[in-house]
Amino acid sequence: MTRRGRFAPTPSGLLHIGNAFTALAAWLQMRQAGGEFVLRIEDIDKARSRPAYAEQLQDDLLWLGIDWDEGPRGGGPCAPYEQSRRESLYEEAFEQLQQAGRLYPCYCSRSELAAIGSAPHGLASEGAAYPGLCRSLSPAERQARAAKKTPALRFIMPPHELRFYDAVAGPQTCAGEALSDFVVKRADGMFSYQLAVTVDDAAMGITDVLRGADLLDSTPRQLALYEALGLRAPDFAHVPLLVDASGRRLSKRDSALTLAALRSAQVPPERLLGALAHLAGWIDRPEPLTARELIPFFGPVRTASGRLTVSEQLRHWLTEG
Ligand code: GLU
């Protein structure tokens, strides 16, 4: 079976070198394995996404030497590759869950959820654990609340522990708040990331999900959806996030380390690739290399702390040469 990987960015800002690292690792994994690489634009949240960012990120990836076998520009057998154009697939999966009795309406208001949100437990990637308040409403209570508010729809997590093996983080066992019921369709009709990503990875035949460690705690939710929808789950690898010298996660706000900024400062892509490969421990010292030249060097990411620190020295090497 041909392995298939993907990069699935949300076009809500400029790609920074942390996003580039994730894209590079996912691309190298497939190129080394002789697999196929898919680019999917995760623009399901229309309020956060901008078509211009989707275009820019494709230019930025190509500048780096990261190409894709299927994606928005070239198309492919699983088109469309933009989530905003795949809603009918999410609707089908949603119906299937509804019919299987796996969903319930949730009427909790923003302020009720915010109060839960200040509780200490929860998932970093998704906010607070939901204690299932609306799960046990009686039909009469439901009716009363439905008269006043359009509900979100929540997925009922299975009561059992969920286990999976992560190629970077090792064996994972999920219980407790990681198993709290989560929204698959918001009150405004938007399908959630968890549902869309699961449906798409399955429909696109993705065998290997390699993405940032910030999504490690979303994986049990997606596994529960694979199970409920009768789909085969892919293998997972969550690579470390890049942090700056003070330990802060790089973000879209870090404008100096966006690919756009590096490009306009005339930093050669090979220099960025060399810096990233060195950071991951794939090469011993930073030296300029092309994406293709890096294929044989790809391997496990070496980090003691679970993060990759972009030191001032590396930053200097990158921008000053
Ligand atoms: N669209 C998500 C993001 O940009 C990534 C989704 C995934 O890789 O599963 O953070």
Side-chain angles (χ1 to χ4, degrees):
M1 191 177 73
T2 306
R3 284 170 69 184
R4 283 168 66 83
R6 51 47 156 207
F7 180 54
T10 300
S12 59
L14 294 170
L15 290 187
H16 56 70
I17 65 171
N19 307 122
F21 176 66
T22 304
L24 175 66
W27 183 86
L28 287 173
Q29 184 193 37
M30 283 308 112
R31 292 296 178 242
Q32 194 183 68
E36 292 163 351
F37 190 62
V38 175
L39 177 68
R40 182 173 68 234
I41 305 295
E42 299 214 322
D43 56 356
I44 193 169
D45 189 341
K46 294 182 186 116
R48 283 179 60 217
S49 304
R50 298 278 175 276
Y53 286 131
E55 291 305 318
Q56 171 91 36
L57 75 85
Q58 293 176 72
D59 293 341
D60 287 348
L61 291 173
L62 293 172
W63 169 75
L64 264 185
I66 294 178
D67 58 354
W68 48 92
D69 306 301
E70 297 168 30
R73 285 182 190 166
C78 306
Y81 292 90
E82 297 91 357
Q83 288 192 326
S84 57
R85 297 173 59 207
R86 299 176 62 80
E87 272 172 26
S88 58
L89 287 161
Y90 312 141
E91 191 66 54
E92 262 171 52
F94 175 81
E95 290 298 325
Q96 192 183 334
L97 296 173
Q98 183 88 288
Q99 266 159 33
R102 294 299 296 270
L103 305 180
Y104 62 88
C106 173
Y107 300 95
C108 289
S109 65
R110 240 174 242 268
S111 57
E112 282 167 306
L113 292 173
I116 303 166
S118 54
H121 302 295
L123 300 188
S125 64
E126 275 243 359
Y130 181 69
L133 302 173
C134 287
R135 188 160 162 180
S136 50
L137 295 179
S138 69
E141 285 169 322
R142 245 170 222 169
Q143 223 174 2
R145 299 205 64 173
K148 296 195 198 111
K149 193 174 185 293
T150 312
L153 273 297
R154 278 187 194 270
F155 173 74
I156 302 174
M157 282 294 271
H160 54 263
E161 276 186 354
L162 287 166
R163 291 163 191 269
F164 66 101
Y165 182 80
D166 186 88
V168 181
Q172 306 288 310
T173 304
C174 306
E177 53 263 21
L179 299 184
S180 85
D181 300 342
F182 61 92
V183 171
V184 292
K185 192 179 194 178
R186 298 192 331 197
D188 65 5
M190 193 186 107
F191 293 107
S192 71
Y193 155 69
Q194 307 289 2
L195 183 71
V197 78
T198 303
V199 167
D200 284 345
D201 282 335
M204 294 180 179
I206 300 301
T207 58
D208 292 82
V209 168
L210 185 155
R211 59 187 173 195
D214 53 330
L215 292 167
L216 182 64
D217 64 10
S218 277
T219 305
R221 296 180 164 193
Q222 292 163 25
L223 287 171
L225 286 174
Y226 281 105
E227 201 174 270
L229 292 166
L231 300 169
R232 192 194 149 96
D235 290 338
F236 290 96
H238 289 85
V239 294
L241 299 179
L242 267 56
V243 296
D244 65 17
S246 61
R248 247 181 3 121
R249 189 178 151 186
L250 300 184
S251 81
K252 292 182 178 168
R253 289 176 297 277
D254 243 319
S255 57
L257 291 179
T258 62
L259 300 201
L262 296 173
R263 282 174 71 179
S264 64
Q266 313 282 317
V267 172
E270 295 79 17
R271 203 160 251 281
L272 173 57
L273 291 165
L276 294 174
H278 172 62
L279 209 50
W282 299 328
I283 55 176
D284 292 337
R285 55 191 170 81
E287 60 176 308
L289 286 167
T290 64
R292 296 222 156 258
E293 284 167 338
L294 278 172
I295 296 172
F297 294 103
F298 172 76
V301 179
R302 277 180 249 143
T303 157
S305 63
R307 307 220 139 183
L308 296 175
T309 305
V310 181
S311 64
E312 284 306 321
Q313 209 181 358
L314 191 67
R315 206 172 162 137
H316 188 81
W317 180 80
L318 183 60
T319 52
E320 310 296 326

